[in-house]
Amino acid sequence: MSTAFRQSFVESAKQYLPITIGQLPWAIAAGSVLKSVGLSFWECVGMTVIVYSGTAQLGTITLIMAGTSQWLIALAACAFSIRFLLFSALIAPAFENSSKKMRLFASYILIDGVIAIYSNTILSEKDKAKRYGVYLGPSLLNVVTWLAGTTAGVLFADQIPEKYHFEFMATIVLSVLLAPAFRQLKSLIVCLVSGLTACLFINLPMRTGFFVAILAGIFTGALLERLQKKTS
């Protein structure tokens, strides 16, 4: 490890620490929910490690409880995580000359918060060591925090009072991450369209309204990009 890598790793991790602390209650809530549906300790931990997505984990719980087909559950998990396909395409240039192992590892630890906060830095940093440090620092910190939080939720699910509503912390954390995007009119329009679509289709079965909202946001963003290019 070079000095540049260590410095950027530590600095970015320190900057991201408040975000991980903020999502810790969400992780605890996710773990307690997994435990409450009858999964064993190792099943809960295994799902957390394999899926590594709070949205996909909680989104598929209802399907698991209903005894839905495993293929449909897997498909739903992929749909809930479709945003990561866009995130990976965004930062792919930063790992263009990386080894296959590095790219696979980077794809596994990919998360919303790091993309929202550090994507511009990662893409603009020419020093490879610093670029890796900026990405790996907060990403690995998030892995540790999420695994620790969900494990704690599984172990102490019976001791967590329902009145605390830890799951609401997810909304708070995501709202903080989205706030900087509102500075751009285009991003604000995409957020509004996606949010309103989710509200309109909230009663669709199997939470398919969530997928419709994602598609609406993607379509709106692509349309605005095309209009911007035509006018420029």
Side-chain angles (χ1 to χ4, degrees), residues 44-112:
C44 294
V45 174
M47 185 178 184
T48 300
V49 173
I50 295 172
V51 179
Y52 187 51
S53 169
T55 306
Q57 286 176 248
L58 298 178
T60 54
I61 283 297
T62 53
L63 301 180
I64 295 174
M65 293 175 63
T68 308
S69 165
Q70 293 180 0
W71 289 104
L72 184 57
I73 293 172
L75 182 62
C78 292
F80 278 117
S81 304
I82 195 172
R83 66 190 186 281
F84 292 113
L85 184 63
L86 303 178
F87 295 159
S88 62
L90 174 64
I91 65 167
F95 296 90
E96 187 175 2
N97 298 319
S98 305
S99 65
K100 186 176 182 179
K101 289 182 179 180
M102 178 60 184
R103 282 181 280 137
L104 285 172
F105 181 66
S107 66
Y108 173 73
I109 62 176
L110 180 67
I111 54 171
D112 313 60

Side-chain angles (χ1 to χ4, degrees), residues 2-3 8 43 49 59 82 96-97 100 135 140 169 175-176 184 197 209 212:
S2 65
T3 302
S8 58
E43 285 174 336
V49 173
I82 195 172
E96 187 175 2
N97 298 319
K100 186 176 182 179
Y135 181 79
L140 290 176
M169 288 300 297
S175 298
V176 172
Q184 297 181 350
T197 303
V212 176

Side-chain angles (χ1 to χ4, degrees), residues 120-142:
N120 290 333
T121 303
I122 294 170
L123 291 170
S124 61
E125 180 57 64
K126 296 182 179 180
D127 188 313
K128 186 177 181 180
K130 289 183 179 180
R131 189 164 66 240
Y132 284 178
V134 170
Y135 181 79
L136 293 176
S139 298
L140 290 176
L141 176 63
N142 193 87

